[in-house]
Amino acid sequence: MSDSSNVTESLPEGELLVETLDRPWERLEELAEAGDPEPLAAFLDSLSAGDQALALSRTDEAHHQLVLKTLPIGDAAELLRHLSESQAAEIIDSLTPEDAAAIFQEMPSDEQADLLGDLDEDQASAILQVLPDSEADAMRELAAYNDDVAGGLLVREILRFDRSTKVADVISTLSENADEFRDYDVQYAYLTDEHNRLVGVLPMRNLLFARRNDPVADIMIADPLSLLDTTPLDDLIDFFDTHHFLGVPVVDADGRLLGVVHRNAVDYEATRAAESDFLKSQGIIGEELRTMPLFQRASRRLSWLSINIVLNIGAAAVIAIYQDTLEKVIALAVFLPIISDMSGCSGNQAVAVSMRELSLGLVRPTEMLRVWLKEASVGLINGAALGLLVAIVAIVWDGNPYLGLVVGVALYANTLVAVSIGGTVPLLLKRFGFDPAVASGPLLTTVTDMCGFFLVLGLATAMLNRLI
Amino acid sequence: MSDSSNVTESLPEGELLVETLDRPWERLEELAEAGDPEPLAAFLDSLSAGDQALALSRTDEAHHQLVLKTLPIGDAAELLRHLSESQAAEIIDSLTPEDAAAIFQEMPSDEQADLLGDLDEDQASAILQVLPDSEADAMRELAAYNDDVAGGLLVREILRFDRSTKVADVISTLSENADEFRDYDVQYAYLTDEHNRLVGVLPMRNLLFARRNDPVADIMIADPLSLLDTTPLDDLIDFFDTHHFLGVPVVDADGRLLGVVHRNAVDYEATRAAESDFLKSQGIIGEELRTMPLFQRASRRLSWLSINIVLNIGAAAVIAIYQDTLEKVIALAVFLPIISDMSGCSGNQAVAVSMRELSLGLVRPTEMLRVWLKEASVGLINGAALGLLVAIVAIVWDGNPYLGLVVGVALYANTLVAVSIGGTVPLLLKRFGFDPAVASGPLLTTVTDMCGFFLVLGLATAMLNRLI
């Protein structure tokens, strides 16, 4: 599990460090039962991150405990770090607080804080009680930040020196602790004053050319860029977009250095945010893994479905109003679901483009008119194409040109409505602080369904003598 | 635009380097027309990445040219690098090949290759003709790789030394070219033999403690990990998940060093892939920005809609078959869209969970049975809840308990069908090499619509004498 920079030569494509076993969890259980740390660690090391996750997800709690107790503690921590947070939390919840605390101490502080928030509350407080007070306090402090601000993403494990330290002393500290510092992955040391306030950063390579007896303050970059602990994720993404740094120091309101947010952590959260938008748009709120208990999975999904069915029934009530028309022109019933589905498709395209433009900053939440004009023009073209197609189908099938006229015009007009709503609703939701990924879909579908049913059945009622 | 490590003190939240102008594009145009590089560069520097993108997207081609010609060339390249690839390509397409080539030469090689692939073909070949032959060849070579393999993501700008170089010579090279190398963002130099084959990596910090007259080979890590140029993105993500490295050297089939893939580039592609799954699931294939020409936007969206409407009409044909039943029990028409929409919702939840489990490696494409069992159990619970609800609504509204029975049982059974299909279709598509994000939705909707209409109308036909 350790970073082994010198073990393997380049491997042929597709075999990248992967021992392709059909059922890696069986071998994992065997090795855990055998109880010998080395072959177990070596086996896990040979698996890809995906297969590690797979193997663990297919073994039971008893084996999780056995695997994590058998592995060298650093390897156990490393293993959990490769899993998704929900899977790692599931496994840590099944350990004794003592075992869990030991593994926690091997993790970088940002991941500790993240994971702590995902645990069962009882388990989390039990772990904090087992930990030394100073560590527990520090962990509580970081865990108090959300994942989406700088304070929740920082690592405290950084190279930190007083600005008066001599170059020679820094070099010897580095050399004596080379093994520990290798894991810090940083090219900078951070220099503070006597109140622990950040005063400068020191690019490690500057040490190469410095006089050994000078204080590091002489070769530091003074007044470096830093961010407040409350800086939100969007601004962090922006920061690393604009600057090439691998990390940025984070300070509190008094300028005291809290730690460093690494580019990795921000990129990781950005990917998670994008993935979670996809999941939320499809009605999965909160992480779901199929290893979770059945009733938890079912009830989480059901809460989203319940809202949708109520909205759906509301929209379908429009059909009930026009029951008389429908009774006389039963062919209309065939076209109602088509109008509803196709308007949903067109509208969701507009939702997707708006969400993307919002995330790229290409549109502001206040620019409803601009988006509406852009969408309406697409709606006019695509509505015409779809309306024409469905009109032809209706005429060919039913033989009555007026039926074609009604469903064609209705789909045309409703496509226009759908893209108008789909394009602008995410802006409106964002502006009023709602999450467009969760709420755009249901809102869109309800309004376009109602409107589509009104259009088809209202037009048909108006032209009823032509349709019978 | 340059990385200014020492200009700003920590800024209060929300003001991070952002000059909040209502209409930043107006100021941009003014400054471009004034033609003075410094204030223009300073203004752009003061904008967030989002506002840079916004300002450029709201100015016309003539002003794009003016902005990019006025800016110092390095800043122009930097500006384009902050934009999304489609927006950058749009702007480069509007420049003369000479101006475009000059800007290209300032970009890192992986971004050159990416961008080249997104340009208009004529513009791309015109730019290659303007460039010096050696650069054009190298760029063609990289552009030949897809974005989703190591060869398409590597940078050629790395520190590369022959293994016989002396430590002192490496240090003096570094010191003489400190400015250039600062942008390389790497902690390693790469050592090659006389055939340009990778033989070792040299952690820069090892130089600190080395004897100046030794060859660097003495302090290198021999036989380092490296990846083939054909390694796919999934394996790269896996690699950086398993190893803490910031970059990995990439070699061709003969072991020759081609360049380095940085963790950033992989993270960036991973985020793009997640975003693009969201867009594709909503029917946006290929990047769309609302600044693109209307007919391009409309026709791209229409090609997806056309497939859907044909599938939709096919599904609705089921209703036509049962027209007689519908004529006798017109209340059924109210429930057809509800059954269709709700089955879509339930099925899409299962799609989303399967896509996520596939990407985490928690399920293999062959494990259809396992996924089906997990989904069916959720379907049994949620189908019962939804079916019961819709049955009650039908009974309260219509007064006929048999109508409630028909629509309730149909929604129950169709929820089961929807989650079964939604859960397994992404696996099936993946197994046969299709993109689950694009194809799962339409397939799911068509099958569940057909099946839902069959269930409602078939059951109603069987119980017709109870319903009238």
Side-chain angles (χ1 to χ4, degrees), chain B residues 2 24 44 67 111 121 169 175 192 206-207 257 287 293 313:
Chain B
S2 59
L44 282 165
V67 168
E111 298 182 18
E121 253 179 65
D169 293 337
S175 151
T192 50
N206 285 12
L207 290 171
L257 179 63
E287 290 198 277
I313 290 170

Side-chain angles (χ1 to χ4, degrees), chain B residues 8-240:
Chain B
T8 345
E9 300 218 21
S10 60
L11 292 155
E13 178 186 4
E15 293 182 34
L16 169 71
L17 299 174
V18 181
E19 192 170 310
T20 40
L21 276 179
D22 240 15
R23 306 168 71 81
W25 51 94
E26 291 178 352
R27 180 98 186 103
L28 181 70
E29 295 188 351
E30 269 172 42
L31 288 166
E33 284 161 16
D36 189 351
E38 285 206 3
L40 180 61
F43 170 68
L44 282 165
D45 220 8
S46 76
L47 295 179
S48 70
D51 274 356
Q52 290 178 359
L54 179 69
L56 278 162
S57 78
R58 300 290 166 88
T59 53
D60 57 17
E61 282 200 9
H63 281 96
H64 288 164
Q65 293 175 6
L66 213 51
V67 168
L68 291 174
K69 274 194 98 102
T70 307
L71 278 180
I73 191 85
D75 287 7
E78 195 68 26
L79 175 63
L80 290 173
R81 294 179 57 196
H82 295 167
L83 305 180
S84 68
E85 274 162 38
S86 44
Q87 196 184 359
E90 221 179 277
I91 292 175
I92 292 187
D93 276 337
S94 74
L95 303 179
T96 65
E98 290 73 21
D99 289 345
I103 293 175
F104 253 80
Q105 288 181 284
E106 296 289 318
M107 293 184 170
S109 48
D110 58 335
E111 298 182 18
Q112 289 175 343
D114 256 22
L115 203 47
L116 202 67
D118 288 337
L119 295 182
D120 194 86
E121 253 179 65
D122 294 343
Q123 175 75 337
S125 58
I127 291 173
L128 287 174
Q129 287 200 329
V130 176
L131 286 173
D133 280 353
S134 64
E135 283 192 45
D137 285 346
M139 215 179 289
R140 270 193 207 97
E141 208 173 285
L142 288 189
Y145 291 106
N146 278 330
D147 277 10
D148 58 358
V149 298
L153 297 171
L154 62 80
V155 292
R156 287 179 296 131
E157 297 82 2
I158 57 174
L159 297 177
R160 197 192 277 254
F161 296 99
D162 190 87
R163 63 174 155 188
S164 57
T165 318
K166 293 239 184 313
V167 168
D169 293 337
V170 169
I171 292 181
S172 66
T173 307
L174 288 178
S175 151
E176 283 156 21
N177 301 285
D179 274 354
E180 185 189 343
F181 292 151
R182 193 203 328 241
D183 286 345
Y184 283 16
D185 257 357
V186 284
Q187 303 188 68
Y188 292 92
Y190 299 88
L191 306 181
T192 50
D193 66 10
E194 61 282 12
H195 300 296
N196 197 21
R197 285 185 302 232
L198 177 70
V199 294
V201 300
L202 176 65
M204 303 302 269
R205 83 186 85 204
N206 285 12
L207 290 171
L208 272 174
F209 319 118
R211 280 187 304 266
R212 303 286 157 126
N213 274 325
D214 287 349
V216 282
D218 285 8
I219 54 167
M220 78 182 181
I221 297 167
D223 297 325
L225 280 181
S226 66
L227 297 175
L228 273 180
D229 51 353
T230 50
T231 308
L233 181 62
D234 279 347
D235 288 350
L236 286 167
I237 292 175
D238 217 24
F239 180 88
F240 283 109

Side-chain angles (χ1 to χ4, degrees), chain B residues 128-402:
Chain B
L128 287 174
Q129 287 200 329
V130 176
L131 286 173
D133 280 353
S134 64
E135 283 192 45
D137 285 346
M139 215 179 289
R140 270 193 207 97
E141 208 173 285
L142 288 189
Y145 291 106
N146 278 330
D147 277 10
D148 58 358
V149 298
L153 297 171
L154 62 80
V155 292
R156 287 179 296 131
E157 297 82 2
I158 57 174
L159 297 177
R160 197 192 277 254
F161 296 99
D162 190 87
R163 63 174 155 188
S164 57
T165 318
K166 293 239 184 313
V167 168
D169 293 337
V170 169
I171 292 181
S172 66
T173 307
L174 288 178
S175 151
E176 283 156 21
N177 301 285
D179 274 354
E180 185 189 343
F181 292 151
R182 193 203 328 241
D183 286 345
Y184 283 16
D185 257 357
V186 284
Q187 303 188 68
Y188 292 92
Y190 299 88
L191 306 181
T192 50
D193 66 10
E194 61 282 12
H195 300 296
N196 197 21
R197 285 185 302 232
L198 177 70
V199 294
V201 300
L202 176 65
M204 303 302 269
R205 83 186 85 204
N206 285 12
L207 290 171
L208 272 174
F209 319 118
R211 280 187 304 266
R212 303 286 157 126
N213 274 325
D214 287 349
V216 282
D218 285 8
I219 54 167
M220 78 182 181
I221 297 167
D223 297 325
L225 280 181
S226 66
L227 297 175
L228 273 180
D229 51 353
T230 50
T231 308
L233 181 62
D234 279 347
D235 288 350
L236 286 167
I237 292 175
D238 217 24
F239 180 88
F240 283 109
D241 233 16
T242 313
H243 298 87
H244 285 170
F245 307 145
L246 295 170
V248 61
V250 173
V251 297
D252 67 13
D254 299 324
R256 280 189 300 255
L257 179 63
L258 298 174
V260 165
V261 171
H262 285 144
R263 182 185 278 274
N264 292 353
V266 172
D267 284 339
Y268 176 75
E269 289 298 327
T271 306
R272 273 194 17 145
E275 283 170 354
S276 129
D277 276 354
F278 172 64
L279 290 168
K280 285 186 287 189
S281 74
Q282 308 281 57
I284 297 293
I285 321 290
E287 290 198 277
E288 175 186 330
L289 300 174
R290 291 205 175 98
T291 45
M292 290 175 177
L294 173 61
F295 282 95
Q296 187 184 348
R297 292 164 55 223
S299 66
R300 278 203 202 173
R301 291 201 200 174
L302 191 57
S303 58
W304 158 266
L305 292 173
S306 312
I307 296 168
N308 273 276
I309 198 167
V310 170
L311 293 173
N312 243 287
I313 290 170
V318 172
I319 304 176
I321 299 173
Y322 287 101
Q323 223 169 329
D324 290 345
T325 302
L326 203 52
E327 207 154 343
K328 287 173 192 137
V329 194
I330 198 69
L332 290 169
V334 176
F335 292 93
L336 291 177
I338 297 180
I339 305 251
S340 150
D341 280 3
M342 289 313 300
S343 308
C345 283
S346 302
N348 274 322
Q349 289 184 325
V351 168
V353 175
S354 279
M355 300 253 321
R356 178 167 162 76
E357 291 208 334
L358 280 174
S359 83
L360 289 174
L362 290 176
V363 72
R364 290 175 172 166
T366 49
E367 300 180 304
M368 309 264 294
L369 181 65
R370 178 191 167 80
V371 167
W372 178 69
L373 289 173
K374 290 278 184 186
E375 282 301 326
S377 47
V378 171
L380 285 173
I381 297 175
N382 289 356
L386 298 174
L388 192 65
L389 182 67
V390 86
I392 292 172
V393 169
I395 294 170
V396 169
W397 171 61
D398 187 76
N400 184 340
Y402 292 101

